[in-house]
Amino acid sequence: MAGDMKKYLNLDFEKIEKMTQIKKDYIEGKTDFETTKKLVRENFDKMTASEFAYSEQKIKELGFDDNTVHNKMNDVLGLFEDIIVKDEFTLPEGHPINTYILENKAARKLIAEMKEEYGKKFIKNKWLEFYDKLSQFNPTHLARKQHQLFSILESKGFDRPSRIMWSFDNGVRDSISEARKLLENDKIEEFLEKQENVWELTLDIMHKEEEVLFPTSMKMISEDEFKAMRAGDDEIGYFLIEKPKGFYPENSEQLNDTLASNSEHNISEAQNIVQNTQSAGNFMNDLATLMAKYNMGNQKEENEVFDVKQGKLTLEQINLIFQHMPVDLSFVDENEIVKFYTDTKHRVFPRSAGVIGRDVKNCHPRESVSSVLEIIDNFRSGKQDEIDFWLEMRGKFIYIYYVAVRDENGVFKGVLEMMQDVTRIRSLTGERKLVTWESEGKQEKQENYEENKNEFKSKYNFTGKTVIGDIVKKYPYIKEYMPLISPEYKRLLDPIQYMMMSKIATLQMIAMRGELELDYLIMMIEAKIDEEENK
């Protein structure tokens, strides 16, 4: 259950009531912008970011729908921006807020470089380099904010960021994606016309973060809670900066404090601490004692066997099965709370432990919440039992399947979501009835290459300058095949790392990474293409 955010803030409630009324009149159209701006100046000398944020939360209680508030948000922020006092932070490396601020600084530097390049002679490769970097803003910076920061703010009663700001985040994401497509399709004039919008939206979202979101978060979230958040940040990744050092939970005493309230959200935070603590010694014994103290389930022996529906498995085996599934699963219970997701290398979209215990409505942008609720309502009522979707994303074909989970009596217990990259599956033709190992014949190919390398010539015109993303776009199965050539190429299977490498990693760079001769790498790739094309 979400708390009341006022418990975490030192607020002037008389000022907030007056501020909320002024906002309400403006949103309802009773006053125009200039009149409202004058009222703000007459009534307030200054205002903290926390006071503005709490007023935004109060607006929700007045019955305004999210669309109305979203459409007026920029104007409302403009009304008060002259009097909002901006907080300055001195934070250690690794602190999540410090990391966001460093990323914003890197983003502004990148946009400044893009603006400088804008007036010069157009060079496509230069702009592709810019967009290879800028395209990482959504799956790193914005994703961490949505899954990490919004999560803990919701638990404290501040859900406006996840309900309103997420839509602004999506505007940034979509503008960058649309511009990149124009660039890749050589629609240069349209691409250049799009740049001002991309820059404006990206700079605007960072301004909103720094003016209101971050200062309010600093007031509402404790240092221990920020440390518990730190682990999930690492899991999602970072934008244009190196992985920060430090600021991890230090010992089991912090876990004790985090568990003290025994709330579902704090348990999720404690799990983060457990997964990422750097302490050694008797930590696990301390953990077992704490878990028992706070009634977090009976403690099981490491090898204790559970009677599952069909079979007997240890907890270790259950976790290993989930980790090795070639699909991405998540489960939302009958109360619409996210309870589980699989920690697998096949994950399609970024997630972190901060999503556990969240209301599923707050895990989606405003535009898609109605669809999510429609699915749950139809499953709950028994009108439907399953539904599927599919989409193409960054050269992948993604299949998404939802199924209603019911007990033996047909009582609705939640929704299971499955996502899978089915690009390779869709490319299969004919039959394969015999055992055929993908790596079979590798040694033979190596020996054949050694004998004929002086005469080797690429039949597909691949060279050291050929970019791996161009090959995978035409022959999608090559990405899955690359780790069989060398274990060094496993990172290509990670969606975020592949996105970063696909436009810049040449075959020469990849050959050097795998400590292979360039011609041999090309020969292996072409042999796989021949095999697939001749099926």
Side-chain angles (χ1 to χ4, degrees):
M1 180 67 68
D4 186 342
M5 64 183 291
K6 69 183 180 183
K7 294 190 301 183
Y8 307 93
L9 302 171
N10 182 20
L11 301 172
D12 181 340
F13 291 103
E14 183 177 344
K15 179 193 288 187
I16 287 171
E17 288 299 326
K18 188 179 294 184
M19 183 197 328
T20 304
Q21 184 61 49
I22 290 174
K23 288 183 180 180
K24 179 177 181 292
D25 289 344
Y26 176 72
I27 293 172
E28 290 178 338
K30 293 179 180 178
T31 56
D32 60 25
F33 186 87
E34 291 303 324
T35 301
T36 309
K37 185 89 170 176
K38 183 179 179 182
L39 285 171
V40 170
R41 288 195 296 265
E42 290 173 351
N43 284 276
F44 310 108
D45 295 324
K46 63 180 181 178
M47 181 177 300
T48 67
S50 301
E51 289 168 337
F52 182 86
Y54 188 71
S55 175
E56 284 301 298
Q57 195 69 23
K58 294 289 290 182
I59 285 289
K60 170 190 172 184
E61 298 172 8
L62 297 177
F64 292 108
D65 62 71
D66 290 341
N67 283 334
T68 300
V69 177
H70 175 269
N71 293 337
K72 290 285 188 177
M73 176 55 72
N74 281 330
D75 287 348
V76 170
L77 194 57
L79 291 169
F80 292 87
E81 64 180 354
D82 294 339
I83 64 168
I84 294 178
V85 179
K86 187 174 181 179
D87 294 343
E88 298 293 336
F89 308 119
T90 301
L91 300 171
E93 181 177 0
H95 191 294
I97 297 299
N98 187 61
T99 300
Y100 288 123
I101 292 171
L102 289 176
E103 289 179 325
N104 283 355
K105 183 177 180 180
R108 289 188 176 98
K109 180 180 178 183
L110 175 62
I111 290 173
E113 292 173 357
M114 295 169 74
K115 288 182 175 181
E116 184 178 349
E117 184 69 20
Y118 185 81
K120 299 179 181 178
K121 181 179 179 180
F122 182 82
I123 302 174
K124 182 176 179 179
N125 283 345
K126 185 68 176 177
W127 284 98
L128 284 171
E129 289 177 12
F130 285 144
Y131 270 84
D132 283 337
K133 294 177 181 179
L134 190 60
S135 295
Q136 293 306 303
F137 192 65
N138 177 63
T140 54
H141 181 95
L142 297 183
R144 285 203 329 279
K145 182 176 68 175
Q146 294 159 1
H147 294 287
Q148 296 279 98
L149 194 59
F150 289 178
S151 172
I152 195 166
L153 290 175
E154 287 164 17
S155 74
K156 297 172 181 289
F158 188 26
D159 66 358
R160 298 313 271 169
S162 49
R163 297 174 66 86
I164 302 299
M165 184 175 278
W166 202 321
S167 293
F168 287 107
D169 290 349
N170 280 356
V172 175
R173 176 202 66 191
D174 293 343
S175 68
I176 294 172
S177 177
E178 289 164 7
R180 181 169 186 150
K181 287 179 182 177
L182 292 171
L183 176 61
E184 291 174 346
N185 293 325
D186 292 320
K187 297 181 178 180
I188 305 306
E189 290 187 9
E190 293 177 61
F191 167 76
L192 292 174
E193 290 175 359
K194 186 84 173 171
Q195 293 317 293
E196 186 173 347
N197 183 58
V198 170
W199 302 332
E200 181 179 331
L201 291 177
T202 307
L203 293 169
D204 178 67
I205 199 65
M206 293 189 291
H207 176 72
K208 286 181 169 66
E209 291 172 348
E210 294 170 0
E211 287 292 315
V212 179
L213 180 66
F214 296 160
T216 306
S217 298
M218 288 297 299
K219 296 283 179 58
M220 296 183 66
I221 302 174
S222 71
E223 180 173 311
D224 285 352
E225 289 170 324
F226 274 122
K227 286 187 175 182
M229 191 189 304
R230 174 75 170 84
D233 284 358
D234 284 350
E235 187 174 352
I236 293 174
Y238 301 96
F239 176 70
L240 297 185
I241 63 171
E242 295 295 325
K243 175 182 172 181
K245 298 177 182 178
F247 206 72
Y248 290 102
E250 296 174 0
N251 53 44
S252 57
E253 291 181 5
Q254 182 177 338
L255 179 62
N256 186 14
D257 294 338
T258 304
L259 286 172
S261 67
N262 202 28
S263 71
E264 189 168 30
H265 182 80
N266 285 339
I267 290 171
S268 173
E269 293 170 7
Q271 289 169 339
N272 275 345
I273 297 173
V274 172
Q275 293 168 3
N276 294 278
T277 184
Q278 296 176 320
S279 60
N282 296 321
F283 177 77
M284 292 310 295
N285 290 333
D286 294 341
L287 172 62
T289 302
L290 286 167
M291 296 283 276
K293 177 180 177 182
Y294 291 105
N295 299 315
M296 294 178 63
N298 296 325
Q299 305 307 304
K300 302 293 183 183
E301 295 295 330
E302 182 178 352
N303 295 318
E304 182 172 350
V305 175
F306 295 86
D307 288 317
V308 295
K309 183 68 175 178
Q310 298 294 338
K312 296 177 180 293
L313 295 169
T314 66
L315 183 59
E316 179 186 25
Q317 290 171 331
I318 292 170
N319 281 322
L320 286 172
I321 289 170
F322 280 127
Q323 287 173 345
H324 287 79
M325 278 186 177
V327 295
D328 185 353
L329 300 176
S330 60
F331 176 67
V332 175
D333 72 5
E334 68 272 27
N335 298 313
E336 302 176 15
I337 302 300
V338 180
K339 306 293 285 189
F340 167 82
Y341 69 86
T342 49
D343 181 18
T344 169
K345 69 179 182 180
H346 299 280
R347 190 179 303 166
V348 176
F349 296 110
R351 302 180 195 268
S352 75
V355 74
I356 303 300
R358 291 180 73 184
D359 187 324
V360 71
K361 292 191 293 295
N362 293 332
C363 297
H364 295 270
R366 174 177 56 90
E367 297 84 350
S368 59
V369 167
S370 60
S371 296
V372 173
L373 295 181
E374 181 181 356
I375 291 172
I376 294 174
D377 289 344
N378 277 277
F379 284 0
R380 190 192 305 278
S381 68
K383 291 180 181 178
Q384 302 291 340
D385 289 310
E386 60 183 3
I387 188 170
D388 57 359
F389 305 89
W390 49 92
L391 57 96
E392 293 190 61
M393 181 182 69
R394 300 189 297 274
K396 293 182 177 182
F397 193 90
I398 307 300
Y399 180 69
I400 306 171
Y401 174 76
Y402 295 90
V403 61
V405 176
R406 308 186 194 281
D407 66 15
E408 294 179 353
N409 298 315
V411 177
F412 176 73
K413 290 294 183 180
V415 178
L416 181 66
E417 177 193 49
M418 181 204 79
M419 285 189 283
Q420 185 176 12
D421 175 6
V422 295
T423 309
R424 181 177 181 277
I425 296 173
R426 292 182 80 224
S427 71
L428 298 178
T429 58
E431 298 178 337
R432 176 188 282 184
K433 297 182 178 181
L434 301 176
V435 176
T436 304
W437 301 103
E438 294 293 342
S439 57
E440 192 174 80
K442 181 177 178 180
Q443 182 63 35
E444 181 181 342
K445 292 173 183 175
Q446 173 72 47
E447 293 171 356
N448 180 62
Y449 165 72
E450 291 295 336
E451 292 178 8
N452 301 285
K453 63 181 180 180
N454 292 331
E455 302 175 11
F456 177 77
K457 184 177 181 181
S458 170
K459 64 185 292 186
Y460 292 94
N461 296 318
F462 295 157
T463 70
K465 295 182 179 181
T466 302
V467 178
I468 188 63
D470 293 337
I471 297 176
V472 171
K473 187 174 182 180
K474 189 171 183 180
Y475 310 106
Y477 46 79
I478 290 299
K479 185 168 67 170
E480 300 288 339
Y481 176 65
M482 291 296 290
L484 297 175
I485 300 177
S486 169
E488 289 291 329
Y489 303 147
K490 285 185 178 179
R491 64 173 58 192
L492 291 171
L493 301 180
D494 180 270
I496 293 178
Q497 293 199 49
Y498 175 73
M499 190 190 311
M500 295 174 65
M501 297 169 62
S502 62
K503 295 294 183 183
I504 58 175
T506 64
L507 292 185
Q508 182 66 62
M509 295 164 59
I510 291 172
M512 292 175 64
R513 178 73 182 183
E515 297 184 350
L516 301 173
E517 291 190 43
L518 173 62
D519 287 350
Y520 174 67
L521 174 63
I522 293 175
M523 184 204 72
M524 293 293 290
I525 292 173
E526 293 188 342
K528 179 62 177 175
I529 294 173
D530 288 342
E531 177 188 332
E532 295 291 334
E533 298 300 305
N534 291 328
K535 284 182 178 179

